[in-house]
Amino acid sequence: MVYTLSNAREVYIGETLNAVVRMRQHLDSPEKQKHDLQAMRLVIDETFNKSACLDLESFLIRLFAADGRYTVLNRNEGITDSDYFDRQSYREAFDAIFEELREQGMFTRDRVTIENSDLFKLSPFKALNQEQAIAVEDILEGLFQDLERGERSTIVVQGDPGTGKTIVGIFLMKLLRDIQVANPHDKADGDSLFSEFFAEGYPELLDGFKIGLVVPQQSLRKSIEKVFKKTPALSPRHVLTPFEVGGNDEHYDLLIVDEAHRLSQRANQPSGQLNKKFVDINRKLFGEDDLSITQLEWIRSKSTHQVFLLDTAQSVRPADLPTSVLDALINQTRGVGRFYPLASQMRVRAGNDYLEYVRQILRAESPESRTFDQYEFRVFDDVGTMHDVIRARDEQHGLARLAAGYAWPWKSKNDPAAFDIELDGRGLRWNRTQVDWINSPGSIDEVGSIHTVQGYDLNYAGVIIGPDLRFDAVNGQLCVDRGSYHDKKGKENNPTLGITYTDDDLLRFITNIYRVLLTRGMRGTFVYAWDPALRDYLRRFIPTWSPEQPAERAESEQHGRKP
């Protein structure tokens, strides 16, 4: 059976075979006594086996944590997202259980709204897949061995978009904090993945252990801060910028770096103040302003242990760490057995094959045309029509948004009445906010850039490929129009390091941007290309949407069809 214990502000969710014995354990627990949990609810169903109960427990923990009505008191001991016999039937029963609890006032929002929220998508209570669970367990074992021996360590977790790198980072952060503050009298659940690390000896190794999560991107960082604010044992203070790490006087035992490919090398920063900070931090940490020093060296200097979560193909600006630096980091960790690749696709329903298909299209490799089961992939001839379909998808599923490459200047930044993108009779504006844009009011009628979308999940993405990327039909190659790319920091040369970026370099950054945008949608991706030649090229590989075949029927038509 599965149960909840709660007071007016807090809830604990558990699973047990013997409710009486388990309740006595809770009553004897100093930790539970401290919270004065007075209300108890039991979910009893004789058809539920152990796997179903564990699945329901995980399901409720994630929904309670994301709803925000209660603070969830559970520790992050770990449950894998494993399949079991007749799971779909049990999941239908879960929906009824959720609705019953909602009627009793335990939830404030419907399930779809909860699951579309950042609090759900970035929750530290995610159920890990086998690949992620193995990586986390190996990282913990290695870290505790290093702590016992007094040795330093560097770890890399690499994966394509949607493989759950951020999930691993947030999960690991919560798990380590839970072990650190664990009460030795509060016994861990023996069924949990990481219960052994709550045993005597492990919390002692983390006594005084200082941990930080470094997130270079402002939008994603602010979203994670909101999640940490509502999570016991975590705090927004645990979420850091690279400049905060380098500039403060603290030394960290462990720094976990999400989107590590977005760490910066020496380049012209977004402001003069940050340019000065880069110099000051280099001098403070290394005694000189060596131009070869990057923010990667800052992280290593200010921490004893590091976990870098990265994807070399998601570098989108010249200031990002060079591929050579990232490759050297990967090779170093692979050589000592501290490299963990993630391959299983968790975001896009079409799976890893879709990611590879997009990669081949953007390399002009002309892959064999194909479709994807249960996934809407359509090219549009009209931006207005694509926007209308995105609106319809948002009504149906939520989290459907337009996104584009930075191929139009940001006029509305200074003139809110101006349109930034005008195509096919439709006027659109760039995102009005750079912080949590996806969930901001009015975002359905705006267009997000790479800097507000990277790292996030959408249900549907409508991607506008602007005049910055074109197709040379004579040579059969993609090419860039430098003058149509309006991200100044995305194309400026680096005179400090004596680097001039060629059109080939710019093509790599721009195709990386569109690769990221084209892999945001969990249920589907719609595409419009400004360049007619590029649109014709895309039609070879992506079915064209037309009024005669409304997009809302595409998913049902594709359902069950083998790719």
Side-chain angles (χ1 to χ4, degrees):
M1 66 189 72
V2 176
Y3 61 90
T4 67
L5 298 173
S6 61
N7 57 34
R9 300 177 306 277
E10 301 165 314
V11 66
Y12 177 87
I13 303 95
E15 177 274 336
T16 184
L17 291 174
N18 191 320
V20 174
V21 172
R22 189 58 175 149
M23 290 312 113
R24 282 181 183 152
Q25 291 174 344
H26 284 310
L27 288 171
D28 292 339
S29 165
E31 187 68 21
K32 298 300 186 298
Q33 292 171 5
K34 181 178 69 176
H35 292 285
D36 191 25
L37 303 173
Q38 299 175 344
M40 173 180 160
R41 289 173 173 82
L42 288 176
V43 179
I44 302 174
D45 189 322
E46 294 180 355
T47 68
F48 277 27
N49 55 32
K50 182 73 171 181
S51 295
C53 287
L54 289 172
D55 197 14
L56 175 59
E57 178 190 32
S58 173
F59 172 82
L60 292 177
I61 288 172
R62 286 179 284 140
L63 290 175
F64 273 118
D67 180 61
R69 164 73 174 82
Y70 293 95
T71 297
V72 174
L73 299 177
N74 292 69
R75 300 190 304 201
N76 221 20
E77 298 173 20
I79 296 174
T80 54
D81 187 19
S82 56
D83 201 2
Y84 54 90
F85 178 72
D86 208 19
R87 187 184 191 189
Q88 185 55 42
S89 295
Y90 287 113
R91 281 297 178 96
E92 291 171 5
F94 293 0
D95 290 339
I97 292 167
F98 168 82
E99 289 301 332
E100 177 65 27
L101 290 171
R102 187 182 175 204
E103 286 183 13
Q104 295 181 22
M106 297 289 284
F107 291 98
T108 63
R109 297 178 290 171
D110 64 84
R111 181 180 167 186
V112 171
T113 302
I114 293 173
E115 291 184 344
N116 280 336
S117 70
D118 283 345
L119 286 174
F120 184 86
K121 294 181 179 299
L122 299 173
S123 171
F125 295 107
K126 285 285 190 182
L128 303 179
N129 64 26
Q130 284 293 121
E131 199 173 58
Q132 294 168 327
I134 291 170
V136 170
E137 185 174 25
D138 285 355
I139 289 170
L140 283 181
E141 289 178 350
L143 176 63
F144 283 117
Q145 287 176 4
D146 292 331
L147 291 175
E148 287 179 332
R149 299 169 182 166
E151 297 178 353
R152 301 174 66 90
S153 66
T154 300
I155 295 163
V156 164
V157 178
Q158 183 186 32
D160 282 337
T163 51
K165 300 181 294 296
T166 300
I167 289 172
V168 167
I170 293 175
F171 188 99
L172 189 60
M173 186 83 191
K174 168 68 170 164
L175 176 56
L176 285 167
R177 285 287 293 140
D178 282 346
I179 296 171
Q180 187 176 33
V181 302
N183 188 323
H185 301 291
D186 198 2
K187 186 180 178 182
D189 188 343
D191 294 313
S192 63
L193 281 174
F194 308 113
S195 56
E196 64 180 288
F197 297 106
F198 288 85
E200 186 176 352
Y202 291 105
E204 289 80 0
L205 285 172
L206 296 180
D207 185 33
F209 198 77
K210 190 171 181 62
I211 315 172
L213 177 66
V214 184
V215 185
Q217 296 162 265
Q218 180 189 33
S219 182
L220 183 59
R221 185 170 60 249
K222 294 299 182 183
S223 294
I224 294 175
E225 285 177 359
K226 288 195 289 187
V227 174
F228 279 24
K229 185 177 181 179
K230 293 181 176 290
T231 307
L234 296 178
S235 163
R237 295 191 301 274
H238 288 123
V239 187
L240 306 159
T241 73
F243 282 97
E244 287 172 334
V245 171
N248 67 37
D249 294 326
E250 301 283 350
H251 183 84
Y252 295 85
D253 294 287
L254 171 66
L255 287 174
I256 302 169
V257 186
D258 192 27
E259 305 282 351
H261 43 272
R262 298 304 312 274
L263 292 173
S264 179
Q265 62 180 319
R266 187 62 180 277
N268 188 22
Q269 298 296 316
S271 72
Q273 183 182 17
L274 292 182
N275 283 326
K276 182 178 183 302
K277 271 191 175 182
F278 213 111
V279 174
D280 292 344
I281 290 171
N282 280 353
R283 288 174 176 166
K284 176 183 176 181
L285 297 181
F286 306 104
E288 60 177 336
D289 181 28
D290 186 332
L291 298 180
S292 67
I293 296 172
T294 70
Q295 290 179 341
L296 178 67
E297 277 72 48
W298 296 1
I299 302 297
R300 284 175 148 170
S301 173
K302 295 301 296 288
S303 59
T304 307
H305 307 276
Q306 310 91 36
V307 176
F308 295 102
L309 309 158
L310 59 84
D311 175 6
T312 56
Q314 288 197 56
S315 295
V316 297
R317 272 182 166 176
D320 293 345
L321 289 179
T323 302
S324 59
V325 171
L326 295 172
D327 287 344
L329 178 63
I330 290 169
N331 290 334
Q332 172 205 339
T333 54
R334 182 183 277 121
V336 294
R338 295 298 179 89
F339 173 75
Y340 302 96
L342 299 179
S344 299
Q345 180 56 223
M346 297 185 65
R347 175 187 297 132
V348 179
R349 283 187 175 184
N352 294 331
D353 287 348
Y354 172 79
L355 268 67
E356 179 58 28
Y357 192 59
V358 167
R359 188 180 291 115
Q360 291 174 338
I361 292 171
L362 291 175
R363 289 175 178 167
E365 294 177 1
S366 296
E368 183 179 345
S369 180
R370 61 177 301 175
T371 57
F372 295 91
D373 188 24
Q374 301 184 61
Y375 196 77
E376 290 190 73
F377 194 28
R378 293 286 185 269
V379 63
F380 281 71
D381 295 322
D382 180 89
V383 162
T385 303
M386 185 171 79
H387 187 201
D388 291 341
V389 175
I390 283 291
R391 282 168 168 271
R393 288 295 174 277
D394 193 62
E395 289 275 339
Q396 295 165 343
H397 304 285
L399 286 186
R401 299 291 183 270
L402 294 175
Y406 205 167
W408 293 270
W410 192 1
K411 300 175 186 176
S412 62
K413 184 176 184 179
N414 298 316
D415 180 6
F419 289 114
D420 301 302
I421 303 172
E422 296 184 80
L423 293 168
D424 304 324
R426 184 67 57 105
L428 298 164
R429 297 183 179 91
W430 285 117
N431 47 271
R432 293 179 186 269
T433 179
Q434 296 194 52
V435 177
D436 195 21
W437 167 73
I438 285 171
N439 297 296
S440 66
S443 56
I444 185 63
D445 291 318
E446 297 173 357
V447 182
S449 72
I450 182 66
H451 307 299
T452 53
V453 173
Q454 191 171 26
Y456 287 92
D457 294 343
L458 295 170
N459 283 322
Y460 286 89
V463 180
I464 304 172
I465 301 178
D468 54 342
L469 185 65
R470 309 191 185 201
F471 184 72
D472 181 347
V474 175
N475 296 312
Q477 295 178 341
L478 292 171
C479 56
V480 297
D481 181 345
R482 184 180 288 264
S484 296
Y485 185 49
H486 293 277
D487 185 350
K488 293 180 181 178
K489 297 298 178 185
K491 63 180 179 180
E492 68 181 2
N493 294 323
N494 192 331
T496 303
L497 297 179
I499 301 174
T500 299
Y501 292 99
T502 66
D503 282 353
D504 286 340
D505 294 324
L506 192 57
L507 178 63
R508 178 171 65 85
F509 290 125
I510 290 175
T511 53
N512 280 354
I513 288 170
Y514 285 116
R515 172 176 171 260
V516 171
L517 298 182
L518 290 165
T519 54
R520 295 304 94 188
M522 294 185 291
R523 293 172 175 270
T525 299
F526 305 138
V527 192
Y528 170 88
W530 177 92
D531 177 38
L534 179 56
R535 210 178 311 154
D536 288 340
Y537 167 74
L538 294 176
R539 284 196 192 98
R540 301 182 203 169
F541 316 106
I542 310 171
T544 301
W545 184 88
S546 68
E548 288 73 31
Q549 183 187 3
E552 56 264 26
R553 289 207 301 263
E555 185 173 358
S556 61
E557 287 179 3
Q558 287 187 340
H559 184 73
R561 184 197 309 169
K562 297 299 181 183

